[in-house]
Amino acid sequence: MYAPTARTTANRSRDRMSYDRATAHAVLDEAYHCVLGFVVDGEPRLLPTLHVRVGDTLYLHGSTGSRPLLAARGDAGLPVCVTVTLLDGLVFGRSQFHHSANYRSVVAHGTAHLVTGDDDKRTVLTALVEKAAAGRAADSRPPSRRELAETAVLALPLREVSVRTRTGGVRDEPADLDLPYWAGVVPLRQVAGPPEPDTGVTAPLPAYLSGTGAPVREPVAAARPDPAHVTGPPGTAGPAGSGAQATGPSGPGSAVSPWYEPVPLRGAHVLLEPLTPAHADDLFTVTAEPEVWAHLSHPTPTDPAAMRAVVGTALDARRRGERVPWVQRCARTGAVIGSTSYYDLDPARRCVAIGYTWLGRPWWGSAVNTEAKLLLLGRAFDELGAVRVVWQTDIRNTRSQAAIARLGATREGVLRMHRQRPDGSWRDTVQYAMTVDEWPNAQARLREWLRRTAPAERG
């Protein structure tokens, strides 16, 4: 968490504020550009520019002749304010006053300094190119000495940072609800169009630019939020984090593949329905215990706004075709009790992973998680025609490993030093998978176990 300061504390709508480090990093990583604010000769200046985050430092691209870069040459550096905003939707209220927008924004204050070493500058410029498309740095000419000399990079340590978000629908006055006007939300998203080759290009289109939509962006050496860790309930696992391209629908009019649709799934113990912003407050209430988040890469959401940011991240990933998120409800009471997802969807290879699963502490050890996995497996193998379903989990989480094995999955091996934990240590990841040939026997065993378990009973 970033510590709030006088400059990052809101005077109004404080429920929209968050200081969660992972949420701030996610917004900075998704945005391609930012606005750099500074003062020159007593007058404010705002410049749009490109940026990239590497760890806890934000790097800003510029020219050696620009005013902010010249002002930052001294040892004192340049006091700056950097803002990033992602516009997620336009909100149409019944009254003009309640028209609004859904958004995610980050404001970072601090003192920026010039990056002076050529090697450091090359590293940052490589990260900036990799942000545009993972793999591009190795597929292009590095900067020459002259180009390096003409390029300037500002480094801003991320220490005084805040996040502000708005999600959800219309918030009209009760007296206006019967007015005869349409009200609702028009979602907005940034979508990459088909690549347009330059004149004279004979090289084939690189793999990282093929398919629909832009590649997943992985900043070099960046401490990007990693939801691959497993929360406490058995059989929960997170994403493989392979950096595979999103292959979901790319824009209006695109045919939506059933692989990317979170259709409702119903069992005797659990109901799965598409995750929406409206679920955030209930999810915050039911998963408030720190044990639920013990194996995640970000801390326990401390307020409803932080949980709304978690839900917003999942829905953004769905829009990009990277994830299919559900909310889990208790079939007996209808209460919201957790969330789970498909990710790493690959219809061409007929493969999908199950993860991003977290469940309220009272339902650990119940039949809920087992039946949720059965429903997801059934949809993958029987409805989507998958031939392979994958789970990954931290090697330290022996409880999750045992639960995944009980589902009938096969342990395929260990990915050593696969990704970095929040504490800086390197995680070995255990990978499991189930194939379509193994599914019939696994399904029969799981159904028999659930048949002997009364709904909502722990066991």
Side-chain angles (χ1 to χ4, degrees):
M1 296 287 288
Y2 290 108
T5 68
R7 293 193 293 190
T8 62
T9 300
N11 293 322
R12 58 185 298 271
S13 299
R14 294 191 178 185
D15 60 315
R16 297 183 182 179
M17 298 297 296
S18 168
Y19 304 92
D20 180 68
R21 186 181 302 268
T23 302
H25 288 183
V27 173
L28 292 172
D29 293 349
E30 184 174 342
Y32 284 110
H33 67 282
C34 64
V35 176
L36 170 65
F38 56 99
V39 175
V40 174
D41 298 331
E43 295 185 353
R45 296 285 189 272
L46 296 174
L47 292 180
T49 188
L50 300 177
H51 70 273
V52 65
R53 180 187 64 85
V54 179
D56 272 326
T57 301
L58 189 68
Y59 293 96
L60 309 164
H61 180 269
S63 165
T64 53
S66 67
R67 293 291 295 273
L69 279 301
L70 291 172
R73 289 182 182 276
D75 292 339
L78 177 68
V80 300
C81 177
V82 176
T83 65
V84 166
T85 301
L86 299 172
L87 192 60
D88 295 323
L90 298 177
V91 180
F92 290 80
R94 293 168 181 83
S95 68
Q96 294 181 12
F97 180 80
H98 284 295
H99 280 60
S100 186
N102 285 338
Y103 61 90
R104 290 161 290 146
S105 65
V106 168
V107 177
H109 298 270
T111 300
H113 292 83
L114 273 179
V115 175
T116 55
D118 284 352
D119 289 342
D120 292 337
K121 193 183 294 186
R122 287 191 187 94
T123 298
V124 173
L125 295 177
T126 296
L128 191 62
V129 171
E130 285 291 290
K131 179 174 181 176
R136 185 60 181 175
D139 203 22
S140 54
R141 177 180 63 78
S144 65
R145 295 183 65 179
R146 178 183 60 80
E147 291 167 337
L148 269 183
E150 293 177 357
T151 305
V153 176
L154 274 178
L156 174 65
L158 293 173
R159 295 171 184 163
E160 193 174 357
V161 180
S162 63
V163 181
R164 189 178 180 91
T165 63
R166 187 200 189 276
T167 61
V170 181
R171 298 168 189 172
D172 275 329
E173 301 296 331
D176 292 337
L177 296 181
D178 292 329
L179 292 176
Y181 308 123
W182 187 90
V185 177
V186 176
L188 300 178
R189 61 175 178 158
Q190 180 173 273
V191 177
E196 301 173 357
D198 191 21
T199 303
V201 169
T202 58
L205 185 69
Y208 50 77
L209 295 180
S210 62
T212 58
V216 174
R217 299 185 292 277
E218 296 272 1
V220 170
R224 185 173 180 175
D226 169 23
H229 300 279
V230 179
T231 62
T236 59
S242 63
Q245 284 183 227
T247 54
S250 61
S254 300
V256 178
S257 164
W259 283 69
Y260 300 94
E261 286 297 304
V263 299
L265 302 172
R266 183 180 185 93
H269 306 267
V270 66
L271 310 177
L272 302 182
E273 64 183 49
L275 179 68
T276 73
H279 295 124
D281 288 353
D282 287 341
L283 286 170
F284 171 73
T285 300
V286 78
T287 62
E289 297 181 66
E291 293 87 350
V292 174
W293 304 88
H295 293 280
L296 293 177
S297 59
H298 53 81
T300 305
T302 56
D303 52 41
M307 178 58 77
R308 291 184 203 117
V310 172
V311 171
T313 297
L315 297 178
D316 291 337
R318 181 192 171 192
R319 284 189 284 270
R320 294 192 299 269
E322 299 168 5
R323 184 170 161 191
V324 181
W326 283 271
V327 71
Q328 300 181 87
R329 290 186 182 271
C330 175
R332 183 174 59 87
T333 66
V336 170
I337 58 177
S339 181
T340 190
S341 297
Y342 283 157
Y343 68 95
D344 271 5
L345 300 105
D346 192 339
R349 292 189 297 167
R350 297 161 65 187
C351 178
V352 67
I354 295 174
Y356 290 93
T357 302
W358 29 282
L359 193 64
R361 186 66 179 85
W363 289 271
W364 289 13
S366 74
V368 164
N369 188 63
T370 298
E371 188 175 56
K373 296 302 181 291
L374 178 66
L375 293 171
L376 293 173
L377 287 166
R379 173 155 176 79
F381 288 123
D382 299 335
E383 299 178 27
L384 301 179
V387 298
R388 174 178 167 84
V389 174
V390 174
W391 294 262
Q392 291 188 339
T393 187
D394 193 319
I395 198 169
R396 294 178 179 178
N397 198 326
T398 56
R399 174 174 177 165
S400 180
Q401 293 172 52
I404 295 172
R406 285 197 299 271
L407 294 172
T410 299
R411 175 173 167 145
E412 295 186 323
V414 176
L415 306 176
R416 296 179 299 164
M417 298 185 71
H418 181 228
R419 59 179 70 251
Q420 206 164 11
R421 298 186 180 96
D423 64 3
S425 63
W426 284 97
R427 179 186 115 170
D428 289 349
T429 296
V430 184
Q431 179 162 300
Y432 292 81
M434 182 184 294
T435 66
V436 67
D437 295 332
E438 298 166 331
W439 166 234
N441 288 337
Q443 178 182 210
R445 289 195 304 270
L446 292 172
R447 290 194 181 280
E448 176 59 23
W449 184 85
L450 289 168
R451 186 186 65 81
R452 300 194 305 265
T453 306
E457 176 187 331
R458 299 185 187 182

